[in-house]
Amino acid sequence: MAGRLTTHVLDTARGKPAAGVRIALYRVSGGAHHKIAETVTNADGRTDAPMLTGEGFTTGTYELVFSAGDYLRATGQAGEGVLFLDEIPIRFGVPDAGQHYHVPLLISPFAYSTYRGS
């Protein structure tokens, strides 16, 4: 099976999937960011398709940027002022493009965490 990149977002403050979170994927090379994909999470907090798969998924450095602030405002967990968490970037490396990399995000208005899932 070809390698692929997937993600999902869980709202730990509300105890449910985070629907409607915009996610952008960048390839990072030599300090430059090149946007290669963008999507929005579905009702299950997941993307409808992998963020990246096939020949486009190569070894290297990537960055997922989650628009958490927009989501937190839309769900009434944050106001219109300056947010503690707004755009959340997660930079990670892919040493073997033949594997499945799952990079989830767990969010609340004042904290987030991630891990390499399965």
Side-chain angles (χ1 to χ4, degrees), residues 7 13 36 38 46 48 50 59 66 74 83 85 87 110 112 115:
T7 187
I36 54 177
E38 187 168 346
R46 299 184 179 278
D48 290 330
T59 60
F66 298 85
L83 299 178
L85 295 175
E87 298 286 315
F110 300 104
Y112 72 90
Y115 55 93

Side-chain angles (χ1 to χ4, degrees), residues 66-86:
F66 298 85
S67 296
D70 292 342
Y71 168 80
L72 294 169
R73 285 185 178 107
T75 58
Q77 297 181 75
E80 293 301 317
V82 176
L83 299 178
F84 179 69
L85 295 175
D86 194 358

Side-chain angles (χ1 to χ4, degrees), residues 25-29 32-36 52 56 58 61-63:
L25 173 64
Y26 297 85
R27 188 178 319 272
V28 180
S29 178
H33 286 64
H34 305 281
K35 186 188 278 188
I36 54 177
L52 193 58
T58 60
T61 303
Y62 294 87
E63 189 169 277

Side-chain angles (χ1 to χ4, degrees), residues 3-70:
R4 66 191 186 282
L5 171 65
T6 59
T7 187
H8 74 274
V9 184
L10 298 175
D11 182 333
T12 58
R14 297 173 65 203
K16 56 197 251 180
V21 177
R22 187 171 39 89
I23 306 167
L25 173 64
Y26 297 85
R27 188 178 319 272
V28 180
S29 178
H33 286 64
H34 305 281
K35 186 188 278 188
I36 54 177
E38 187 168 346
T39 192
V40 176
T41 58
N42 60 26
D44 196 32
R46 299 184 179 278
T47 60
D48 290 330
M51 292 293 298
L52 193 58
T53 189
E55 293 181 11
F57 189 52
T58 60
T59 60
T61 303
Y62 294 87
E63 189 169 277
L64 285 165
V65 179
F66 298 85
S67 296
D70 292 342

